Amino acid sequence: MSVITSVSGFAAFGVLVRTYALGLQKRPIFSNPSSHALTAGVFGAVGYFVYNLQERQNQLIAARKEVMVKNRARAEELAAQ
């Protein structure tokens, strides 16, 4: 998933949450558009953080997998002797 997709998806979800919350309160949904922009910005920042978190986790998993493959190859080499 790319950065744009993650950030825009979380931002859209934030706007959806804000409009749903205002709808539950029976307040005018689009009377204060700055609150929607603020919510989109906050949720977009969360989406950016989640994207970077996933990238770091994928790098750690790849590094650990590489170590495990090397250990397995070394173990098979020792077992063959």
Side-chain angles (χ1 to χ4, degrees):
M1 190 157 62
S2 69
V3 176
I4 299 293
T5 312
S6 182
V7 171
S8 62
F10 272 84
F13 180 71
V15 171
L16 177 75
V17 167
R18 179 68 181 155
T19 54
Y20 183 70
L22 290 175
L24 285 177
Q25 296 172 358
K26 296 187 179 185
R27 292 173 47 196
I29 294 175
F30 294 112
S31 65
N32 188 8
S34 63
S35 67
H36 294 290
L38 179 65
T39 306
V42 169
F43 274 81
V46 170
Y48 184 72
F49 173 75
V50 168
Y51 172 79
N52 285 326
L53 180 67
Q54 287 177 342
E55 288 297 311
R56 285 191 306 257
Q57 288 176 345
N58 286 338
Q59 289 174 355
L60 285 173
I61 289 171
R64 288 182 182 169
K65 182 179 178 182
E66 183 178 330
V67 168
M68 291 171 68
V69 166
K70 286 180 183 178
N71 287 343
R72 180 179 288 170
R74 190 176 58 188
E76 287 176 355
E77 180 182 311
L78 290 174
Q81 290 179 353

